[in-house]
Amino acid sequence: MNKVPCPKCGYLNRPEAVACNLCRAILRTEGKKAERIARKIEYRSSFYGEQASNRRDSFLLLGALFALLPALGAAAFLSEGFDPLAGAGGAFMVASGLGAFSWFGGSALILNMSRAKKAAHDTHPQLFNVVEEMKIASGLPMPELYVIEADAPNAFATGRDQNHSAIAVTTGLLAKLNRDELQGVIAHEFSHIRNLDIRYAMLVGVIVGATALIADAFLRGFGGSGSRRGGLPLLLVAVIFAIVAPISAKMLQMAISRSREFLADASAVELTRNPDGLASALNKITRDQAPLSVANRATQHLYIVNPLKSFDMDSKALFSTHPPTEARIRKLVAMGARSEYLD
């Protein structure tokens, strides 16, 4: 089958595709179905559409938490011969506490996991100057700034909304990028804050990670008595938990839509008016071989470039938290960046 290359990112799509499977660029608009899909993508490509979508997805994620944990609690108590309503009630209280913690303390947990330290103006004046420039350009409040002691150049943003946000950068990023490149990276992170990507990413990281831990605790804690009381029902529940845990980890990797990275790149260009800065930064970050030991599966989706895996322009890119860097640079070249960053 002859595949059709996307004019924006170069990804090869099926001939009947309405939109690019990787960057969601519209490929054709003939027909009612194609027109409907194109209108939906156009709406999502606006900042207001992205904010509305992220608000909805965030509350759906919390709703799923309040539905899933009571169901698991009821199943656990039933398998042990106890009242399932008591198990559901206890799990609902756990879900309430976890939801509140994720909302108010999730970003602090992520920063602590990343070993991020509060940045000082005297120590990193250029970082503060660039962030203040992007604050003015975006019209957003000043985020808290953190620095991670690591040679690998990378950065991420986190928080629950535009008034409670933080940006963390590695010392490698500050050392290896010039001012224009740093400005492009910071503008990209401001775009995630503006679009409320940070809230959804934070909730995904905390809640899905906690669900996997609860599954593991259930297997370890209830497994010992299951042979005496639960029998086959407990065995079936244990098998389900064993399947759900790795799937949750995979869901975490794919939870942040690749289209949000493309939108943040485009928004960064709007703020800086300089597509070369971000294109050069992405090229440098991707080519750098220094490991980022503080990154893990719970936080990899937050970074501007995935610190754990990189994918080429093939089908594997659809299973990554980030689009291929080549595809992102191609879109920046279409906005005016020099093509030399594709070499």
Side-chain angles (χ1 to χ4, degrees):
M1 181 185 297
N2 293 326
K3 294 189 175 182
V4 179
C6 172
K8 294 291 182 65
C9 73
Y11 187 80
L12 296 176
N13 297 273
R14 298 190 309 275
E16 66 272 15
V18 174
C20 175
N21 281 329
L22 184 60
C23 74
R24 306 307 294 162
I26 298 170
L27 302 178
R28 60 185 181 88
T29 56
E30 302 87 5
K32 290 185 178 179
K33 181 179 179 181
E35 288 179 7
R36 185 171 66 252
I37 294 174
R39 283 197 300 270
K40 184 177 180 181
I41 292 174
E42 244 175 69
Y43 174 70
R44 280 294 308 272
S45 296
S46 73
F47 304 123
Y48 296 111
E50 190 69 17
Q51 289 176 5
S53 174
N54 282 334
R55 287 191 182 96
R56 183 190 67 243
D57 290 348
S58 297
F59 286 109
L60 284 175
L61 193 63
L62 286 173
L65 171 72
F66 281 95
L68 177 63
L69 287 189
L72 296 179
F77 271 57
L78 181 63
S79 66
E80 286 290 301
F82 301 128
D83 184 3
L85 290 179
F92 182 82
M93 295 179 63
V94 172
S96 299
L98 181 58
F101 171 76
S102 301
W103 190 263
F104 294 105
S107 61
L109 174 63
I110 288 170
L111 290 166
N112 186 56
M113 287 173 59
S114 305
R115 301 178 195 169
K117 308 293 184 183
K118 242 338 184 13
H121 193 290
D122 293 341
T123 310
H124 304 289
Q126 181 172 266
L127 173 63
F128 276 83
N129 290 341
V130 170
V131 171
E132 286 168 359
E133 288 174 358
M134 293 302 97
K135 166 187 172 294
I136 294 171
S138 64
L140 296 176
M142 185 74 173
E144 295 184 343
L145 298 182
Y146 290 82
V147 173
I148 302 169
E149 291 288 338
D151 290 335
N154 224 314
F156 68 83
T158 186
R160 71 174 182 269
D161 55 40
Q162 297 169 349
N163 295 314
H164 304 86
S165 63
I167 293 176
V169 301
T170 64
T171 52
L173 187 89
L174 298 176
K176 297 176 181 180
L177 269 57
N178 62 37
R179 196 182 194 283
D180 286 346
E181 293 162 348
L182 177 62
Q183 188 183 65
V185 170
I186 296 300
H188 176 97
E189 301 307 335
F190 262 94
S191 300
H192 281 312
I193 295 172
R194 177 163 70 169
N195 299 339
L196 295 179
D197 293 336
I198 55 171
R199 174 190 293 173
Y200 187 58
M202 177 191 70
L203 291 174
V204 167
V206 174
I207 292 175
V208 178
T211 302
L213 289 175
I214 292 171
D216 184 63
F218 174 79
L219 286 172
R220 294 174 183 274
F222 282 86
S225 59
S227 58
R228 296 193 301 271
R229 291 184 177 179
L232 182 60
L234 178 62
L235 177 62
L236 293 176
V237 172
V239 170
I240 292 173
F241 267 99
I243 294 173
V244 166
I247 291 177
S248 297
K250 191 64 180 177
M251 286 174 58
L252 175 61
Q253 293 179 4
M254 301 175 65
I256 305 303
S257 169
R258 292 174 299 275
S259 64
R260 293 173 183 173
E261 293 299 325
F262 284 118
L263 181 60
D265 288 345
S267 179
V269 174
E270 180 197 23
L271 295 177
T272 64
R273 308 296 180 182
N274 179 19
D276 283 304
L278 181 57
S280 180
L282 290 173
N283 185 45
K284 280 189 178 180
I285 295 171
T286 303
R287 290 175 178 272
D288 195 276
Q289 297 299 311
L292 187 57
S293 59
V294 296
N296 54 52
R297 288 195 174 190
T299 59
Q300 64 176 336
H301 63 286
L302 297 172
Y303 288 89
I304 186 171
V305 173
N306 192 328
L308 301 185
K309 294 180 181 179
S310 61
F311 290 87
D312 298 324
M313 295 284 287
D314 59 23
S315 59
K316 291 185 295 183
L318 295 178
F319 298 96
S320 173
T321 57
H322 294 65
T325 302
E326 179 187 342
R328 296 170 69 178
I329 295 177
R330 281 184 183 276
K331 293 202 75 170
L332 291 169
V333 168
M335 298 176 200
R338 296 193 298 271
S339 58
E340 66 188 60
Y341 305 116
L342 290 169
D343 298 335

